[in-house]
Amino acid sequence: MQGKIIVLSAPSGSGKSTIIKQIIDDEALRLGFSVSATSRKPRGQEQHGKDYYFITDEEFLRRIDAGDFVEWEEVYAGTHYGTLASEVERVTGSGRNLIMDIDVKGGVNVKKRYADRALAIFIMPPSLETLSERLHSRATDSEEVIQRRLAKAEYEISFAPHYDMVVVNDDLATAVEQVRKAILRFISE
Ligand code: ADP
Ligand code: 5GP
């Protein structure tokens, strides 16, 4: 049986990656992470093929032309991110449920494309102040990059009503449990 598709979107720094890390190995959910392609450089401990497929912008544009992506966006000026069709096939073909960490436009497009086969979850930060604190304490981006990400957050939050559900990531354990339960319900339908 083909796996289902779970989309998680949120302004950068809201805790999407943290939440995904806590549920990815839960065997009741049978998840497989969708490794996106990106033209940004790796940060921190990120690994090619695990966190992202890190490719050059030229390679990215070539693969857009070749029709290799299910969806792609220029999330930040000059930086592309996208989901490869081969990645969707790799994970759902093995019967696992694909979990995607993608931006708001990509998330809405995936929901439109896969409709009832996809569950779209929006992770909401408790406030913009908290978001700023988290981006600073993560200490992986320059001040300029942090300011760019914060400037985009309000725009991204305006997409929340298009998602199937919104989870506020205030207390981490509570948010993880809400996401876990929603996925469990969805994959049992
Ligand atoms: P995203 O993947 O959405 O960009 P991250 O998962 O990297 O965000 O989280 C950003 C930062 O906030 C990280 O340093 C993470 O440890 C921290 N964080 C995530 N969720 C919470 C929470 N509920 N309370 C406090 N800090 C959190
Ligand atoms: P980051 O640089 O923090 O890893 O990711 C920046 C943004 O790009 C996040 O909002 C993340 O969800 C989004 N993103 C990551 N992969 C994809 C993808 O394959 N497609 C789209 N549309 N967005 C993505």
Side-chain angles (χ1 to χ4, degrees):
M1 199 181 91
Q2 285 241 309
K4 291 191 173 179
I5 292 173
I6 320 291
V7 175
L8 254 72
S9 299
S12 178
S14 305
K16 257 176 312 154
S17 323
T18 306
I19 292 172
I20 291 175
K21 280 200 190 93
Q22 295 218 3
I23 57 171
I24 193 80
D25 293 325
D26 184 335
E27 264 314 304
L29 304 180
R30 291 185 56 75
L31 296 175
F33 183 64
S34 173
V35 179
S36 296
T38 182
S39 63
R40 84 153 160 77
K41 297 273 182 294
R43 76 181 172 223
Q45 301 299 307
E46 286 179 334
Q47 290 171 27
H48 179 80
K50 179 166 172 274
D51 301 284
Y52 282 106
Y53 299 112
F54 294 101
I55 61 177
T56 62
D57 220 41
E58 295 75 59
E59 169 84 354
F60 205 109
L61 298 175
R62 192 188 62 70
R63 298 198 70 171
I64 292 173
D65 286 344
D68 289 353
F69 290 103
V70 167
E71 63 78 36
W72 61 269
E73 297 291 335
E74 187 172 357
V75 179
Y76 302 105
T79 310
H80 289 86
Y81 295 80
T83 308
L84 292 160
S86 55
E87 190 66 12
V88 178
E89 188 45 43
R90 180 181 71 82
V91 177
T92 62
S94 68
R96 300 194 79 81
N97 303 300
L98 182 78
I99 186 156
M100 305 169 101
D101 170 347
I102 63 176
D103 92 309
V104 289
K105 282 202 215 156
V108 169
N109 285 336
V110 166
K111 179 65 194 175
K112 273 198 202 127
R113 179 176 179 135
Y114 293 100
D116 289 349
R117 196 178 150 205
L119 173 69
I121 305 175
F122 192 93
I123 307 296
M124 185 76 85
S127 67
L128 291 174
E129 290 71 35
T130 309
L131 188 62
S132 172
E133 283 164 22
R134 286 185 190 167
L135 282 169
H136 282 99
S137 68
R138 187 169 71 183
T140 50
D141 299 295
S142 66
E143 187 57 31
E144 188 201 334
V145 170
I146 290 179
Q147 289 312 324
R148 227 188 316 149
R149 286 173 187 255
L150 284 172
K152 211 175 172 193
E154 275 186 79
Y155 164 77
E156 291 169 322
I157 287 171
S158 73
F159 282 75
H162 299 292
Y163 281 68
D164 294 315
M165 69 180 292
V166 175
V167 170
V168 178
N169 181 19
D170 189 355
D171 174 61
L172 180 61
T174 307
V176 167
E177 198 46 26
Q178 284 174 353
V179 170
R180 203 185 68 78
K181 282 210 179 110
I183 296 174
L184 203 53
R185 203 178 320 121
F186 179 66
I187 62 174
S188 317
E189 279 169 6

